[in-house]
Amino acid sequence: MKNSQTSLKDQLNRPLRDLRISVTDRCNFRCPYCMPAEIFGPDFEFLKRAQLLSFEELERLARVFIGSFGVEKIRITGGEPLLRRDLPNLIEKLSSIEGLQDIAMTTNGSLLPKHAKKLKQAGLKRVTVSLDSLNDEIFGKMNGRNIKVETVLDGIKAAAAEGLGVKINMVVQKGINDSEILPMAEYFKRQGHTLRFIEFMDVGNSNKWNLDSVYPKKQILDDLHAVMPIEPIDPNYKGEVATRYRYVGTDKEIGIISSVTDAFCSTCNRARLSAEGKLFTCLFSSKGHDLREPLRSGYSDAQMEKLVSGIWGNRHDQYSVERDQPEKMVSRTKVEMSHIGG
Ligand code: SAM
Ligand code: SF4
Ligand code: SF4
């Protein structure tokens, strides 16, 4: 192991362990909390193919992140990652890099029946499938395209049948789908898939977020506990995003990702790479650092390593901790979630 693997820390003493790679900014859903249809409409300019990092460029960057900084986990995301053509080829390249311990993908699940087998063969280990409701009417509104629940459930079944690990992400919005917390919990407990509730977050600038639309972690826990008693369990590893709970007397779990009411910035070891090669050091960053131009202009691996260590070494992001401090929030423009993935 190189020295830099253990020594690279940001300004708040956090290492870099988790890289999230967005492979496209396009999506076949229009979830209003992420890509509202009125903004991401027919005239919206998505990235052109030449602007996207190629699979070769992504592999090269991944090798630097893993070999030089000790990144252990890669998550492929988007937009909808399964819209990127030949994605299994990228998974194959990444999963063969020495030192990488885990490779996962976050997806809306709709295209998993078509791709699950090839993804598994290519070396993908796990998928997190996003599903916000089991009710077609609620889900149709929350995906912005009237897509049926069954479409996603079929994707989940296809992934599980191929032996991929499956977790479910549910964004909870007050008054929109909080009534679905218990039905979702009961269903996925029976199915044996860990369900993770995500507080509705103020990512980007287009989802009309306000604090009143957040259904807080405490409320989610109270709702569950009243019907299905749960108890906290230890994190799997330092920096895990979800806090974990177990249904009492079972080995079935749920998780809560509470970026709004219970921030976890102090252990945040995640970097995010957008589809056009910008490195973001926080989900709520205003700007990313371009890695594509240096890559395409012939930087060596050593030069790329120096560039990334400079960026991470200067990092002091802790947006969720500062959210309540108006002086730090003045007219802040933030990157859109569909640009960098979750
Ligand atoms: N399209 C894929 C999907 O939906 O799983 C991957 C990209 S999506 C941006 C990644 C995750 O971010 C999803 O689980 C989604 O529900 C979550 N997400 C998007 N906007 C959000 C918001 N405003 N608050 C909380 N989670 C959000
Ligand atoms: Fe698409 Fe995922 Fe965003 Fe929904 S959350 S619009 S599925 S990128
Ligand atoms: Fe990490 Fe930024 Fe989220 Fe804090 S707000 S946990 S620093 S991504």
Side-chain angles (χ1 to χ4, degrees):
M1 192 187 273
K2 284 192 208 168
N3 271 345
S4 56
Q5 272 202 354
T6 47
S7 61
L8 180 64
K9 297 271 177 69
D10 71 5
Q11 296 286 310
L12 301 176
N13 210 26
R14 299 169 295 189
L16 170 49
R17 290 287 172 268
D18 184 336
L19 179 64
R20 300 182 173 209
I21 300 177
S22 170
V23 289
T24 179
D25 60 341
R26 292 166 199 256
C27 188
N28 52 344
F29 286 17
R30 284 293 178 275
C31 311
Y33 56 71
C34 176
M35 292 179 83
E38 63 275 18
I39 292 174
F40 295 86
D43 297 332
F44 187 83
E45 281 202 27
F46 290 101
L47 295 169
K48 309 247 178 324
R49 196 166 173 80
Q51 292 174 285
L52 303 179
L53 289 187
S54 69
F55 289 172
E56 289 68 30
E57 288 168 332
L58 284 171
E59 181 187 5
R60 197 174 148 217
L61 277 181
R63 281 190 191 281
V64 171
F65 275 87
I66 295 164
S68 305
F69 306 123
V71 160
E72 295 161 348
K73 289 177 57 182
I74 287 185
R75 177 170 292 276
I76 305 295
T77 177
E80 174 45 46
L82 291 175
L83 291 181
R84 179 81 186 250
R85 207 188 307 156
D86 298 327
L87 190 69
N89 294 351
L90 174 67
I91 305 285
E92 197 170 353
K93 285 181 193 301
L94 298 180
S95 60
S96 67
I97 301 175
E98 204 187 314
L100 185 65
Q101 292 174 17
D102 190 17
I103 177 158
M105 185 175 69
T106 306
T107 169
N108 64 32
S110 59
L111 298 169
L112 275 173
K114 192 167 165 205
H115 298 294
K117 192 182 196 76
K118 281 205 170 141
L119 291 166
K120 172 74 174 156
Q121 283 168 348
L124 189 71
K125 293 199 165 54
R126 303 184 293 117
V127 287
T128 301
V129 181
S130 305
L131 177 64
D132 299 326
S133 171
L134 289 170
N135 173 302
D136 273 332
E137 199 179 325
I138 298 175
F139 185 55
K141 285 189 189 134
M142 288 189 81
N143 63 52
R145 287 266 162 99
N146 268 323
I147 288 154
K148 298 271 178 251
V149 173
E150 197 184 355
T151 307
V152 180
L153 294 183
D154 285 349
I156 294 170
K157 283 179 199 144
E162 291 302 331
L164 288 162
V166 176
K167 284 185 186 162
I168 312 297
N169 271 0
M170 170 183 179
V171 175
V172 187
Q173 284 185 287
K174 195 191 274 178
I176 307 262
N177 68 335
D178 51 276
S179 59
E180 287 292 287
I181 291 172
L182 285 173
M184 287 279 289
E186 277 158 4
Y187 180 82
F188 286 109
K189 182 178 175 218
R190 274 200 308 279
Q191 296 293 315
H193 301 316
T194 297
L195 171 62
R196 302 182 328 161
F197 301 94
I198 309 181
E199 286 180 344
F200 176 36
M201 292 186 283
D202 48 336
V203 278
N205 314 290
S206 52
N207 66 7
K208 302 198 184 120
W209 183 89
N210 64 61
L211 197 52
D212 290 341
S213 49
V214 176
Y215 200 78
K217 171 181 177 179
K218 184 176 177 316
Q219 190 69 54
I220 297 173
L221 289 174
D222 287 351
D223 288 1
L224 284 170
H225 197 66
V227 181
M228 308 165 76
I230 45 175
E231 59 192 2
I233 46 179
D234 289 337
N236 280 314
Y237 52 88
K238 196 171 177 322
E240 189 170 16
V241 184
T243 40
R244 299 168 66 208
Y245 298 82
R246 178 169 51 206
Y247 295 110
V248 174
T250 75
D251 60 355
K252 305 269 168 47
E253 286 184 31
I254 57 142
I256 310 231
I257 302 175
S258 54
S259 164
V260 180
T261 65
D262 189 9
F264 40 81
C265 299
S266 65
T267 56
C268 179
N269 53 18
R270 293 173 290 286
R272 295 174 162 88
L273 189 61
S274 70
E276 87 273 47
K278 291 204 170 121
L279 188 67
F280 290 84
T281 54
C282 178
L283 193 50
F284 303 91
S285 294
S286 303
K287 73 174 195 51
H289 305 264
D290 184 32
L291 302 186
R292 187 183 68 196
E293 179 53 30
L295 264 184
R296 293 190 180 169
S297 66
Y299 267 40
S300 65
D301 283 356
Q303 285 172 307
M304 290 308 298
E305 183 181 324
K306 195 161 168 231
L307 179 62
V308 175
S309 23
I311 295 167
W312 192 264
N314 279 323
R315 174 190 194 237
H316 46 76
D317 306 292
Q318 46 173 345
Y319 177 89
S320 289
V321 170
E322 293 166 352
R323 194 182 266 113
D324 302 339
Q325 303 167 24
E327 68 282 3
K328 300 221 168 136
M329 292 290 130
V330 186
S331 66
R332 186 167 171 151
T333 310
K334 293 165 286 172
V335 62
E336 292 295 330
M337 185 76 139
S338 56
H339 207 73
I340 54 169

